Amino acid sequence: MVIKNSTDLEKMRIAGRLASEVLDFIAVHVKPGVTTGELDRLCHDYITEVQKAVPAPLNYAPSGYKPFPKSICTSVNHQVCHGIPGDRVLRNGDIVNLDITVIKDGYHGDTSRMFVVGEGSVQARRLCEITFECMWLGIQAVKPGAHLGDIGHAIQRHAESNGFSVVREFCGHGIGTKFHEEPQVLHYGRPGTLEELSAGMIFTIEPMINAGRREIRELADGWTIVTKDHSLSAQWEHTVLVTEGGFEVLTQSAGTPAAPGLQH
Ligand code: MF3
Ligand code: CO
Ligand code: CO
Protein backbone atom coordinates (compact mmCIF):
# COMPACT_ATOMS: atom_id res chain seq x y z
CA MET A 1 0.00 0.00 0.00
CA VAL A 2 0.97 3.63 -0.25
CA ILE A 3 0.71 5.56 3.03
CA LYS A 4 -1.79 8.37 2.74
CA ASN A 5 -1.72 9.80 6.26
CA SER A 6 -0.06 9.52 9.64
CA THR A 7 -2.85 7.32 11.07
CA ASP A 8 -2.18 4.69 8.37
CA LEU A 9 1.51 4.80 9.12
CA GLU A 10 1.11 4.56 12.89
CA LYS A 11 -1.09 1.48 12.45
CA MET A 12 1.47 -0.16 10.15
CA ARG A 13 4.18 0.54 12.72
CA ILE A 14 2.11 -1.15 15.40
CA ALA A 15 1.33 -4.21 13.26
CA GLY A 16 5.00 -4.48 12.29
CA ARG A 17 6.19 -4.26 15.88
CA LEU A 18 3.69 -6.90 17.00
CA ALA A 19 4.81 -9.35 14.29
CA SER A 20 8.42 -8.88 15.38
CA GLU A 21 7.49 -9.31 19.05
CA VAL A 22 6.04 -12.72 18.25
CA LEU A 23 9.51 -13.74 17.04
CA ASP A 24 11.06 -12.29 20.22
CA PHE A 25 8.59 -14.31 22.28
CA ILE A 26 9.06 -17.62 20.46
CA ALA A 27 12.86 -17.50 20.21
CA VAL A 28 13.55 -19.25 23.56
CA HIS A 29 11.21 -22.11 22.63
CA VAL A 30 13.15 -23.01 19.47
CA LYS A 31 15.31 -25.83 20.82
CA PRO A 32 15.90 -29.54 20.23
CA GLY A 33 12.80 -31.65 20.98
CA VAL A 34 10.13 -29.04 20.30
CA THR A 35 7.69 -29.71 17.45
CA THR A 36 6.77 -27.13 14.83
CA GLY A 37 3.16 -27.65 15.92
CA GLU A 38 4.03 -26.56 19.46
CA LEU A 39 5.71 -23.42 18.13
CA ASP A 40 2.56 -22.68 16.13
CA ARG A 41 0.30 -23.15 19.14
CA LEU A 42 2.47 -20.92 21.35
CA CYS A 43 2.51 -18.17 18.69
CA HIS A 44 -1.21 -18.51 18.00
CA ASP A 45 -2.06 -18.09 21.68
CA TYR A 46 0.35 -15.16 22.10
CA ILE A 47 -1.05 -13.34 19.04
CA THR A 48 -4.69 -13.87 19.91
CA GLU A 49 -4.63 -13.65 23.73
CA VAL A 50 -1.75 -11.27 24.55
CA GLN A 51 -1.64 -9.09 21.44
CA LYS A 52 -5.38 -9.26 20.69
CA ALA A 53 -4.38 -9.55 17.05
CA VAL A 54 -5.16 -11.98 14.23
CA PRO A 55 -2.67 -14.51 12.76
CA ALA A 56 -2.98 -13.73 9.03
CA PRO A 57 -1.90 -17.16 7.70
CA LEU A 58 -4.72 -19.07 9.45
CA ASN A 59 -7.24 -20.01 6.74
CA TYR A 60 -5.53 -17.70 4.25
CA ALA A 61 -6.58 -18.92 0.79
CA PRO A 62 -5.25 -17.06 -2.24
CA SER A 63 -6.83 -18.22 -5.49
CA GLY A 64 -5.58 -21.68 -6.48
CA TYR A 65 -4.64 -22.58 -2.88
CA LYS A 66 -6.53 -24.41 -0.19
CA PRO A 67 -6.82 -22.51 3.12
CA PHE A 68 -3.52 -22.51 5.08
CA PRO A 69 -4.33 -24.60 8.17
CA LYS A 70 -2.05 -22.99 10.80
CA SER A 71 -1.16 -19.59 12.25
CA ILE A 72 2.53 -19.36 11.33
CA CYS A 73 4.83 -20.87 8.69
CA THR A 74 7.66 -23.16 9.86
CA SER A 75 10.14 -24.09 7.12
CA VAL A 76 12.86 -26.55 8.16
CA ASN A 77 16.19 -27.27 6.40
CA HIS A 78 15.45 -27.88 2.69
CA GLN A 79 11.96 -26.39 3.04
CA VAL A 80 12.08 -22.99 1.33
CA CYS A 81 8.86 -21.40 2.61
CA HIS A 82 5.23 -21.98 3.60
CA GLY A 83 6.04 -25.02 5.73
CA ILE A 84 2.97 -26.19 7.67
CA PRO A 85 3.51 -26.70 11.43
CA GLY A 86 2.83 -30.22 12.67
CA ASP A 87 4.40 -33.20 14.44
CA ARG A 88 7.91 -32.66 13.14
CA VAL A 89 10.42 -32.59 16.00
CA LEU A 90 13.28 -30.09 15.69
CA ARG A 91 16.69 -31.69 16.13
CA ASN A 92 20.11 -30.33 16.99
CA GLY A 93 21.59 -28.76 13.85
CA ASP A 94 18.30 -28.07 12.05
CA ILE A 95 17.68 -24.61 10.67
CA VAL A 96 14.14 -23.28 10.70
CA ASN A 97 12.45 -20.16 9.37
CA LEU A 98 9.55 -18.85 11.42
CA ASP A 99 7.38 -16.51 9.35
CA ILE A 100 4.89 -14.39 11.29
CA THR A 101 2.16 -12.19 9.87
CA VAL A 102 -0.28 -10.46 12.22
CA ILE A 103 -3.27 -8.25 11.51
CA LYS A 104 -3.91 -5.50 14.06
CA ASP A 105 -6.70 -2.98 13.56
CA GLY A 106 -6.93 -4.09 9.92
CA TYR A 107 -3.23 -3.60 9.12
CA HIS A 108 -0.60 -6.31 8.40
CA GLY A 109 2.95 -6.75 9.70
CA ASP A 110 5.02 -9.53 8.06
CA THR A 111 8.47 -10.67 9.21
CA SER A 112 10.55 -13.82 9.45
CA ARG A 113 13.85 -14.91 10.94
CA MET A 114 16.07 -17.97 10.78
CA PHE A 115 16.81 -19.99 13.91
CA VAL A 116 19.59 -22.53 14.27
CA VAL A 117 18.48 -25.36 16.57
CA GLY A 118 21.27 -26.14 19.04
CA GLU A 119 24.60 -25.98 17.23
CA GLY A 120 24.37 -25.76 13.45
CA SER A 121 27.05 -26.76 10.94
CA VAL A 122 29.39 -24.08 9.58
CA GLN A 123 27.61 -24.32 6.21
CA ALA A 124 24.14 -23.92 7.75
CA ARG A 125 25.17 -20.92 9.85
CA ARG A 126 26.87 -19.35 6.86
CA LEU A 127 23.75 -19.74 4.70
CA CYS A 128 21.61 -18.06 7.38
CA GLU A 129 24.11 -15.23 7.78
CA ILE A 130 24.56 -14.53 4.06
CA THR A 131 20.77 -14.58 3.60
CA PHE A 132 20.43 -12.03 6.43
CA GLU A 133 22.99 -9.85 4.65
CA CYS A 134 21.08 -10.30 1.37
CA MET A 135 17.90 -9.00 2.99
CA TRP A 136 19.78 -6.02 4.41
CA LEU A 137 21.52 -5.18 1.13
CA GLY A 138 18.05 -5.14 -0.45
CA ILE A 139 16.72 -2.89 2.32
CA GLN A 140 19.67 -0.51 2.00
CA ALA A 141 18.91 -0.08 -1.72
CA VAL A 142 15.51 1.42 -0.79
CA LYS A 143 15.08 5.19 -1.33
CA PRO A 144 12.92 7.45 -3.48
CA GLY A 145 14.16 7.39 -7.07
CA ALA A 146 15.70 3.91 -6.76
CA HIS A 147 14.08 1.07 -8.69
CA LEU A 148 12.77 -2.33 -7.64
CA GLY A 149 15.50 -3.85 -9.86
CA ASP A 150 18.14 -2.25 -7.62
CA ILE A 151 16.83 -4.27 -4.66
CA GLY A 152 16.82 -7.54 -6.59
CA HIS A 153 20.25 -6.91 -8.00
CA ALA A 154 21.83 -6.22 -4.60
CA ILE A 155 20.38 -9.45 -3.22
CA GLN A 156 21.27 -11.64 -6.20
CA ARG A 157 24.82 -10.35 -6.41
CA HIS A 158 25.59 -11.10 -2.76
CA ALA A 159 23.95 -14.55 -2.83
CA GLU A 160 25.63 -15.69 -6.03
CA SER A 161 29.05 -14.26 -5.18
CA ASN A 162 28.94 -16.50 -2.10
CA GLY A 163 28.07 -19.58 -4.18
CA PHE A 164 24.35 -19.63 -3.30
CA SER A 165 21.25 -19.27 -5.50
CA VAL A 166 18.11 -17.12 -5.40
CA VAL A 167 14.63 -18.65 -5.54
CA ARG A 168 12.71 -16.98 -8.41
CA GLU A 169 9.15 -18.18 -7.93
CA PHE A 170 8.35 -16.24 -4.73
CA CYS A 171 8.97 -12.58 -4.05
CA GLY A 172 8.39 -9.74 -1.63
CA HIS A 173 5.10 -7.90 -1.91
CA GLY A 174 3.20 -4.76 -1.19
CA ILE A 175 1.37 -4.99 2.14
CA GLY A 176 -1.04 -2.89 4.19
CA THR A 177 -4.72 -3.55 4.72
CA LYS A 178 -4.14 -6.49 2.34
CA PHE A 179 -1.63 -9.32 3.03
CA HIS A 180 -0.26 -9.50 -0.52
CA GLU A 181 -0.61 -6.75 -3.12
CA GLU A 182 1.37 -4.85 -5.74
CA PRO A 183 4.23 -4.40 -6.25
CA GLN A 184 6.05 -7.72 -6.59
CA VAL A 185 9.54 -7.36 -5.15
CA LEU A 186 11.82 -9.79 -6.98
CA HIS A 187 14.99 -10.91 -5.21
CA TYR A 188 17.03 -10.90 -8.44
CA GLY A 189 17.31 -8.42 -11.27
CA ARG A 190 19.18 -5.58 -12.92
CA PRO A 191 19.88 -2.09 -11.58
CA GLY A 192 17.64 0.69 -12.86
CA THR A 193 14.88 -1.65 -14.04
CA LEU A 194 11.25 -2.06 -12.95
CA GLU A 195 9.15 0.37 -10.90
CA GLU A 196 10.66 3.52 -9.43
CA LEU A 197 10.26 3.82 -5.64
CA SER A 198 8.58 6.80 -4.03
CA ALA A 199 8.09 7.85 -0.42
CA GLY A 200 5.11 6.21 1.26
CA MET A 201 5.32 2.83 -0.48
CA ILE A 202 5.31 -0.20 1.84
CA PHE A 203 6.47 -3.67 0.82
CA THR A 204 8.32 -6.69 2.16
CA ILE A 205 11.81 -7.85 1.26
CA GLU A 206 12.12 -11.58 1.94
CA PRO A 207 14.85 -13.34 -0.03
CA MET A 208 14.85 -17.15 -0.16
CA ILE A 209 18.41 -18.33 -0.74
CA ASN A 210 19.45 -21.92 -1.47
CA ALA A 211 22.81 -23.50 -0.67
CA GLY A 212 22.51 -25.53 -3.89
CA ARG A 213 20.49 -25.03 -7.08
CA ARG A 214 17.64 -22.53 -7.26
CA GLU A 215 14.93 -24.91 -8.49
CA ILE A 216 12.05 -25.71 -6.16
CA ARG A 217 9.01 -27.93 -6.01
CA GLU A 218 5.73 -27.93 -4.08
CA LEU A 219 4.79 -30.81 -1.78
CA ALA A 220 1.48 -32.66 -2.04
CA ASP A 221 0.12 -30.67 0.93
CA GLY A 222 -0.38 -27.83 -1.55
CA TRP A 223 1.73 -25.35 0.43
CA THR A 224 5.21 -26.49 1.46
CA ILE A 225 7.94 -25.45 -0.97
CA VAL A 226 11.22 -27.43 -0.96
CA THR A 227 14.47 -27.29 -2.91
CA LYS A 228 14.47 -29.80 -5.76
CA ASP A 229 18.03 -30.89 -4.95
CA HIS A 230 17.25 -31.07 -1.20
CA SER A 231 19.91 -28.44 -0.44
CA LEU A 232 19.39 -26.19 2.59
CA SER A 233 17.37 -23.00 2.14
CA ALA A 234 17.16 -19.86 4.28
CA GLN A 235 14.94 -16.77 4.37
CA TRP A 236 14.66 -13.50 6.31
CA GLU A 237 11.88 -10.94 5.95
CA HIS A 238 11.15 -7.36 6.97
CA THR A 239 8.31 -5.01 6.09
CA VAL A 240 9.81 -1.73 4.84
CA LEU A 241 8.51 1.82 4.26
CA VAL A 242 10.09 4.10 1.65
CA THR A 243 10.80 7.45 3.35
CA GLU A 244 12.04 10.77 1.96
CA GLY A 245 15.49 9.95 3.30
CA GLY A 246 15.59 6.25 2.38
CA PHE A 247 13.78 3.57 4.34
CA GLU A 248 12.19 2.69 7.68
CA VAL A 249 11.95 -0.94 8.81
CA LEU A 250 8.45 -1.36 10.27
CA THR A 251 8.95 -4.86 11.69
CA GLN A 252 11.16 -3.86 14.60
CA SER A 253 11.08 -4.76 18.28
CA ALA A 254 13.47 -5.17 21.20
CA GLY A 255 14.78 -8.50 19.87
CA THR A 256 15.26 -7.55 16.22
CA PRO A 257 18.78 -8.57 15.14
CA ALA A 258 20.86 -5.49 14.32
CA ALA A 259 21.71 -4.72 10.72
CA PRO A 260 24.97 -6.40 9.72
CA GLY A 261 28.20 -4.44 9.40
CA LEU A 262 28.63 -4.95 5.68
CA GLN A 263 31.92 -3.90 4.04
CA HIS A 264 31.29 -2.66 0.52
N1 MF3 B 1 4.21 -14.79 5.35
C1 MF3 B 1 4.37 -15.26 4.00
C2 MF3 B 1 4.96 -14.11 3.22
O1 MF3 B 1 5.95 -13.64 3.64
C3 MF3 B 1 3.11 -15.73 3.38
C4 MF3 B 1 2.56 -16.92 4.02
S1 MF3 B 1 1.08 -17.32 3.28
C5 MF3 B 1 0.56 -18.60 4.25
O2 MF3 B 1 4.45 -13.58 2.28
F1 MF3 B 1 -0.66 -18.80 3.95
F2 MF3 B 1 1.33 -19.62 4.04
F3 MF3 B 1 0.67 -18.27 5.50
CO1 CO C 1 5.78 -11.59 3.08
CO1 CO D 1 6.11 -13.59 5.73
PDB file of all heavy atoms in Angstrom, residues 175-189:
ATOM      1  N   ILE A 175       2.129  -4.527   0.970  1.00  0.00           N
ATOM      2  CA  ILE A 175       1.374  -4.992   2.138  1.00  0.00           C
ATOM      3  C   ILE A 175       0.759  -3.782   2.827  1.00  0.00           C
ATOM      4  O   ILE A 175       1.313  -2.688   2.768  1.00  0.00           O
ATOM      5  CB  ILE A 175       2.311  -5.788   3.085  1.00  0.00           C
ATOM      6  CG1 ILE A 175       1.552  -6.373   4.277  1.00  0.00           C
ATOM      7  CG2 ILE A 175       3.502  -4.920   3.556  1.00  0.00           C
ATOM      8  CD1 ILE A 175       2.373  -7.399   5.068  1.00  0.00           C
ATOM      9  N   GLY A 176      -0.367  -3.988   3.483  1.00  0.00           N
ATOM     10  CA  GLY A 176      -1.042  -2.894   4.187  1.00  0.00           C
ATOM     11  C   GLY A 176      -2.332  -3.426   4.778  1.00  0.00           C
ATOM     12  O   GLY A 176      -2.303  -4.287   5.659  1.00  0.00           O
ATOM     13  N   THR A 177      -3.463  -2.962   4.271  1.00  0.00           N
ATOM     14  CA  THR A 177      -4.724  -3.555   4.718  1.00  0.00           C
ATOM     15  C   THR A 177      -4.917  -4.915   4.044  1.00  0.00           C
ATOM     16  O   THR A 177      -5.722  -5.712   4.492  1.00  0.00           O
ATOM     17  CB  THR A 177      -5.910  -2.625   4.416  1.00  0.00           C
ATOM     18  OG1 THR A 177      -5.897  -2.300   3.030  1.00  0.00           O
ATOM     19  CG2 THR A 177      -5.809  -1.340   5.236  1.00  0.00           C
ATOM     20  N   LYS A 178      -4.174  -5.151   2.957  1.00  0.00           N
ATOM     21  CA  LYS A 178      -4.135  -6.492   2.343  1.00  0.00           C
ATOM     22  C   LYS A 178      -2.806  -7.162   2.675  1.00  0.00           C
ATOM     23  O   LYS A 178      -1.790  -6.505   2.873  1.00  0.00           O
ATOM     24  CB  LYS A 178      -4.326  -6.390   0.826  1.00  0.00           C
ATOM     25  CG  LYS A 178      -5.757  -6.026   0.451  1.00  0.00           C
ATOM     26  CD  LYS A 178      -5.900  -5.585  -0.993  1.00  0.00           C
ATOM     27  CE  LYS A 178      -5.654  -6.685  -2.004  1.00  0.00           C
ATOM     28  NZ  LYS A 178      -5.806  -6.125  -3.395  1.00  0.00           N
ATOM     29  N   PHE A 179      -2.815  -8.521   2.711  1.00  0.00           N
ATOM     30  CA  PHE A 179      -1.628  -9.322   3.030  1.00  0.00           C
ATOM     31  C   PHE A 179      -0.638  -9.235   1.862  1.00  0.00           C
ATOM     32  O   PHE A 179       0.541  -8.921   2.055  1.00  0.00           O
ATOM     33  CB  PHE A 179      -2.088 -10.771   3.278  1.00  0.00           C
ATOM     34  CG  PHE A 179      -1.084 -11.715   3.918  1.00  0.00           C
ATOM     35  CD1 PHE A 179      -1.528 -12.950   4.423  1.00  0.00           C
ATOM     36  CD2 PHE A 179       0.260 -11.416   4.018  1.00  0.00           C
ATOM     37  CE1 PHE A 179      -0.645 -13.844   5.002  1.00  0.00           C
ATOM     38  CE2 PHE A 179       1.158 -12.313   4.601  1.00  0.00           C
ATOM     39  CZ  PHE A 179       0.702 -13.523   5.084  1.00  0.00           C
ATOM     40  N   HIS A 180      -1.120  -9.513   0.666  1.00  0.00           N
ATOM     41  CA  HIS A 180      -0.261  -9.500  -0.525  1.00  0.00           C
ATOM     42  C   HIS A 180      -0.885  -8.606  -1.578  1.00  0.00           C
ATOM     43  O   HIS A 180      -2.031  -8.809  -1.965  1.00  0.00           O
ATOM     44  CB  HIS A 180      -0.106 -10.923  -1.082  1.00  0.00           C
ATOM     45  CG  HIS A 180       0.642 -11.845  -0.172  1.00  0.00           C
ATOM     46  ND1 HIS A 180       0.023 -12.801   0.605  1.00  0.00           N
ATOM     47  CD2 HIS A 180       1.955 -11.944   0.110  1.00  0.00           C
ATOM     48  CE1 HIS A 180       0.936 -13.457   1.313  1.00  0.00           C
ATOM     49  NE2 HIS A 180       2.105 -12.954   1.044  1.00  0.00           N
ATOM     50  N   GLU A 181      -0.133  -7.619  -2.048  1.00  0.00           N
ATOM     51  CA  GLU A 181      -0.613  -6.754  -3.120  1.00  0.00           C
ATOM     52  C   GLU A 181       0.576  -6.270  -3.941  1.00  0.00           C
ATOM     53  O   GLU A 181       1.725  -6.647  -3.678  1.00  0.00           O
ATOM     54  CB  GLU A 181      -1.419  -5.583  -2.533  1.00  0.00           C
ATOM     55  CG  GLU A 181      -0.620  -4.704  -1.590  1.00  0.00           C
ATOM     56  CD  GLU A 181      -1.440  -3.553  -1.004  1.00  0.00           C
ATOM     57  OE1 GLU A 181      -2.664  -3.658  -0.883  1.00  0.00           O
ATOM     58  OE2 GLU A 181      -0.819  -2.538  -0.656  1.00  0.00           O
ATOM     59  N   GLU A 182       0.296  -5.432  -4.934  1.00  0.00           N
ATOM     60  CA  GLU A 182       1.366  -4.852  -5.744  1.00  0.00           C
ATOM     61  C   GLU A 182       2.224  -3.951  -4.868  1.00  0.00           C
ATOM     62  O   GLU A 182       1.700  -3.376  -3.907  1.00  0.00           O
ATOM     63  CB  GLU A 182       0.756  -4.045  -6.901  1.00  0.00           C
ATOM     64  CG  GLU A 182       0.063  -4.914  -7.943  1.00  0.00           C
ATOM     65  CD  GLU A 182       0.989  -5.940  -8.566  1.00  0.00           C
ATOM     66  OE1 GLU A 182       2.040  -5.521  -9.113  1.00  0.00           O
ATOM     67  OE2 GLU A 182       0.693  -7.135  -8.479  1.00  0.00           O
ATOM     68  N   PRO A 183       3.499  -3.779  -5.145  1.00  0.00           N
ATOM     69  CA  PRO A 183       4.231  -4.402  -6.246  1.00  0.00           C
ATOM     70  C   PRO A 183       4.803  -5.757  -5.851  1.00  0.00           C
ATOM     71  O   PRO A 183       4.876  -6.092  -4.670  1.00  0.00           O
ATOM     72  CB  PRO A 183       5.376  -3.413  -6.469  1.00  0.00           C
ATOM     73  CG  PRO A 183       5.685  -2.914  -5.086  1.00  0.00           C
ATOM     74  CD  PRO A 183       4.356  -2.842  -4.386  1.00  0.00           C
ATOM     75  N   GLN A 184       5.225  -6.539  -6.852  1.00  0.00           N
ATOM     76  CA  GLN A 184       6.051  -7.718  -6.594  1.00  0.00           C
ATOM     77  C   GLN A 184       7.491  -7.251  -6.434  1.00  0.00           C
ATOM     78  O   GLN A 184       7.968  -6.435  -7.227  1.00  0.00           O
ATOM     79  CB  GLN A 184       5.976  -8.675  -7.785  1.00  0.00           C
ATOM     80  CG  GLN A 184       4.596  -9.274  -7.990  1.00  0.00           C
ATOM     81  CD  GLN A 184       4.627 -10.451  -8.939  1.00  0.00           C
ATOM     82  OE1 GLN A 184       5.611 -11.200  -8.996  1.00  0.00           O
ATOM     83  NE2 GLN A 184       3.559 -10.623  -9.688  1.00  0.00           N
ATOM     84  N   VAL A 185       8.150  -7.761  -5.408  1.00  0.00           N
ATOM     85  CA  VAL A 185       9.537  -7.360  -5.147  1.00  0.00           C
ATOM     86  C   VAL A 185      10.433  -8.573  -5.396  1.00  0.00           C
ATOM     87  O   VAL A 185      10.620  -9.425  -4.523  1.00  0.00           O
ATOM     88  CB  VAL A 185       9.693  -6.832  -3.700  1.00  0.00           C
ATOM     89  CG1 VAL A 185      11.120  -6.366  -3.452  1.00  0.00           C
ATOM     90  CG2 VAL A 185       8.703  -5.697  -3.433  1.00  0.00           C
ATOM     91  N   LEU A 186      10.973  -8.654  -6.615  1.00  0.00           N
ATOM     92  CA  LEU A 186      11.823  -9.793  -6.978  1.00  0.00           C
ATOM     93  C   LEU A 186      13.146  -9.704  -6.243  1.00  0.00           C
ATOM     94  O   LEU A 186      13.645  -8.610  -5.969  1.00  0.00           O
ATOM     95  CB  LEU A 186      12.068  -9.814  -8.489  1.00  0.00           C
ATOM     96  CG  LEU A 186      10.827  -9.836  -9.380  1.00  0.00           C
ATOM     97  CD1 LEU A 186      11.226  -9.859 -10.859  1.00  0.00           C
ATOM     98  CD2 LEU A 186       9.952 -11.050  -9.063  1.00  0.00           C
ATOM     99  N   HIS A 187      13.718 -10.857  -5.934  1.00  0.00           N
ATOM    100  CA  HIS A 187      14.992 -10.906  -5.209  1.00  0.00           C
ATOM    101  C   HIS A 187      16.176 -11.149  -6.146  1.00  0.00           C
ATOM    102  O   HIS A 187      17.234 -11.605  -5.740  1.00  0.00           O
ATOM    103  CB  HIS A 187      14.924 -11.962  -4.099  1.00  0.00           C
ATOM    104  CG  HIS A 187      13.807 -11.713  -3.121  1.00  0.00           C
ATOM    105  ND1 HIS A 187      12.767 -12.586  -2.939  1.00  0.00           N
ATOM    106  CD2 HIS A 187      13.565 -10.659  -2.308  1.00  0.00           C
ATOM    107  CE1 HIS A 187      11.930 -12.094  -2.033  1.00  0.00           C
ATOM    108  NE2 HIS A 187      12.382 -10.922  -1.644  1.00  0.00           N
ATOM    109  N   TYR A 188      15.971 -10.850  -7.429  1.00  0.00           N
ATOM    110  CA  TYR A 188      17.025 -10.900  -8.440  1.00  0.00           C
ATOM    111  C   TYR A 188      16.682  -9.810  -9.441  1.00  0.00           C
ATOM    112  O   TYR A 188      15.545  -9.330  -9.474  1.00  0.00           O
ATOM    113  CB  TYR A 188      17.057 -12.285  -9.114  1.00  0.00           C
ATOM    114  CG  TYR A 188      15.780 -12.624  -9.832  1.00  0.00           C
ATOM    115  CD1 TYR A 188      15.614 -12.337 -11.189  1.00  0.00           C
ATOM    116  CD2 TYR A 188      14.706 -13.174  -9.135  1.00  0.00           C
ATOM    117  CE1 TYR A 188      14.422 -12.615 -11.834  1.00  0.00           C
ATOM    118  CE2 TYR A 188      13.502 -13.446  -9.771  1.00  0.00           C
ATOM    119  CZ  TYR A 188      13.370 -13.168 -11.119  1.00  0.00           C
ATOM    120  OH  TYR A 188      12.177 -13.423 -11.755  1.00  0.00           O
ATOM    121  N   GLY A 189      17.641  -9.415 -10.257  1.00  0.00           N
ATOM    122  CA  GLY A 189      17.308  -8.417 -11.266  1.00  0.00           C
ATOM    123  C   GLY A 189      18.476  -7.533 -11.638  1.00  0.00           C
ATOM    124  O   GLY A 189      19.617  -7.788 -11.241  1.00  0.00           O
TER     125      GLY A 189
END
